[in-house]
Amino acid sequence: MPMIQCPECGTHIAATARTCPYCGYVGDDPAQPIGAQAVYEPAPQLQFEIERWNPRTDTMDTQRVDLAPEDNRRIWDALKDWKHVQAMLPALAEAVLAMARSEKQWVADIPKYYEKLLDDGQVFFRPDRNGQILPHLVGKNGRIVKQVRLKETVTMPELLPNLQHLETQAALAMIMSQLENVQEQIAQIRGELQQDCLAKADAAWDQLNQSLKITDGRRREQAIMIAIGAGTEAKRALMRHLHGCLNVIEGNADQNEAQLIFGDLLKGKSKKERGKIEARMAYDDIAGILNGVRVETAGHMALGDTDAA
C-alpha cells in the first residue's frame, strides 16, 4: 500500500486516508484523501543511539531509536534548502562538501617479503632524473629486483578535520543547551524563592493584625515581636533579590536596541526580554519590601517603641 507522510505530525499513513489516525489531521477537503490533495512524500527516518544498562550482562548496550515523527519532519524540512544549511549549519555543510572533494593517489602494492627488505634497507626505490619515484625496487648493486604494481586510491584529506569540527560543534551545541536549561532552572528557582518571600511578607502583616487582637498583654507582645521578626526576614531576603535584579537592569542600561535583542540569544532569551522580566521582579520586590517595613513600623508602634518605628 502506498504511504504518505502526514503534513501535521509527520507519521507515515496510507495514501487513501482522509484523517491521520495519530494526530487527527484532515485536509482542506475532508471528502478527499489527504494524499490526493497534495504531494506528501515520506521523509527518511532518522535515528539516534542511546545506551542502556543491561542488568543481565552488567554492561551498557547500545540501541538505535527512531526520532519522533514531528522532530524527524522538522529536521528534514531544515535540510531541504542547501543555502539555509550553509547559513545555519556551516560545519555540517563543510563536512558534506569535503565528502565531495577527493584526491586520487597511486600507491605501491608491495608484497610483505619485499616490504620487510625495504624496511631493513636492503632494497629501495630509486628516483628518476626529475625526482619522481619509479615503480620498482632496486638492490644495493643498483639492479632492479622487483617491479611493483600501483593501485589507485581516493582520499578525502579535508573530511576528517571537518568531521572532527562538526563533532566539536555538536558537543558545544549540547553544552549550550544544557547551560540554557540550567539557566532556566535557576531563573525558575529565583522566581519561586521570591514568591516565598512575598508570601512571608503578606503572612507577617496578617500575623501582626491577629496579634493586635490578643487581650493578654504578654502573649500580645510576644506575638507582635514574632510578626516583626517575620517581616524583617522577608524584607532582607527581598532586598537581596532586588539587588540582583538591579544589577541586570543596570547592565543593560548602556545597550542599544539591537544589542538588547541579539546580544544574548545563545542563552535562550534576549537581554531585552530578560530585562523586562527582571524589572517586573524588581517591582514585586519593592512592593514586598514596603510590606515588610509596614509590619515593622506598625509592630513597633503597637509596642510603644517609637524610636524603632
Side-chain angles (χ1 to χ4, degrees):
M1 177 182 298
M3 304 291 288
I4 64 170
Q5 194 169 7
C6 174
E8 181 67 25
C9 66
T11 307
H12 293 180
I13 60 176
T16 57
R18 294 184 175 87
T19 304
C20 176
Y22 297 93
C23 68
Y25 173 81
V26 179
D28 296 334
D29 185 0
Q32 295 292 329
I34 298 176
Q37 302 182 46
V39 178
Y40 302 105
E41 296 180 356
Q45 179 62 53
L46 296 175
Q47 294 181 329
F48 62 96
E49 290 187 354
I50 61 174
E51 291 186 351
R52 291 182 176 176
W53 176 257
N54 190 339
R56 296 182 179 179
T57 60
D58 291 337
T59 57
M60 297 294 292
D61 294 340
T62 302
Q63 181 180 359
R64 298 184 67 87
V65 181
D66 292 343
L67 280 176
E70 184 177 353
D71 295 335
N72 190 77
R73 177 177 58 85
R74 196 176 305 161
I75 292 176
W76 281 110
D77 287 343
L79 296 179
K80 285 190 298 186
D81 188 352
W82 178 246
K83 292 183 179 180
H84 178 74
V85 174
Q86 288 180 310
M88 302 302 297
L89 303 171
L92 176 61
E94 191 64 28
V96 173
L97 291 176
M99 295 178 186
R101 291 192 294 264
S102 61
E103 295 180 359
K104 291 184 179 181
Q105 296 179 348
W106 293 93
V107 181
D109 187 7
I110 306 175
K112 292 184 178 180
Y113 172 74
Y114 289 97
E115 186 177 351
K116 185 177 185 303
L117 294 178
L118 183 64
D119 293 338
D120 295 338
Q122 300 182 22
V123 296
F124 55 90
F125 287 102
R126 184 174 60 186
D128 60 9
R129 296 179 180 179
N130 298 324
Q132 300 292 329
I133 297 178
L134 299 174
H136 48 248
L137 293 173
V138 180
K140 294 182 178 180
N141 56 5
R143 300 179 59 183
I144 298 176
V145 297
K146 179 65 177 177
Q147 190 82 20
V148 297
R149 295 182 178 181
L150 301 179
K151 59 181 180 179
E152 182 181 1
T153 60
V154 179
T155 60
M156 299 177 181
E158 299 181 8
L159 178 59
L160 182 59
N162 280 283
L163 288 178
Q164 292 175 343
H165 179 62
L166 179 61
E167 184 178 2
T168 302
Q169 293 294 323
L172 290 176
M174 184 178 298
I175 293 174
M176 293 302 299
S177 176
Q178 294 176 352
L179 291 177
E180 178 183 341
N181 293 334
V182 171
Q183 184 183 14
E184 291 179 354
Q185 293 176 1
I186 292 175
Q188 182 179 358
I189 293 174
R190 288 184 64 229
E192 292 175 353
L193 291 176
Q194 184 200 36
Q195 293 300 319
D196 290 342
C197 294
L198 292 174
K200 288 181 179 179
D202 293 337
W205 177 250
D206 294 338
Q207 186 177 4
L208 177 63
N209 291 327
Q210 293 176 357
S211 302
L212 296 176
K213 298 178 181 179
I214 299 176
T215 57
D216 183 75
R218 178 174 294 182
R219 289 180 52 229
R220 179 174 175 270
E221 182 177 343
Q222 292 177 349
I224 292 175
M225 292 299 299
I226 293 175
I228 293 174
T232 302
E233 181 182 358
K235 181 192 71 174
R236 290 176 178 175
L238 290 171
M239 290 178 66
R240 290 194 299 268
H241 189 271
L242 175 62
H243 180 71
C245 295
L246 293 178
N247 286 336
V248 176
I249 297 173
E250 292 174 358
N252 295 339
D254 57 346
Q255 303 286 322
N256 57 36
E257 186 74 11
Q259 291 173 328
L260 288 175
I261 296 176
F262 301 107
D264 208 15
L265 285 178
L266 287 177
K267 295 183 179 179
K269 289 184 175 66
S270 67
K271 288 185 177 179
K272 183 176 182 180
E273 184 179 354
R274 291 175 61 228
K276 290 181 178 179
I277 295 175
E278 295 293 334
R280 289 195 297 267
M281 296 178 71
Y283 179 82
D284 293 337
D285 286 337
I286 294 174
I289 292 171
L290 292 177
N291 199 10
V293 172
R294 182 175 62 166
V295 172
E296 293 176 327
T297 303
H300 286 299
M301 289 298 295
L303 294 176
D305 193 351
T306 56
D307 292 336

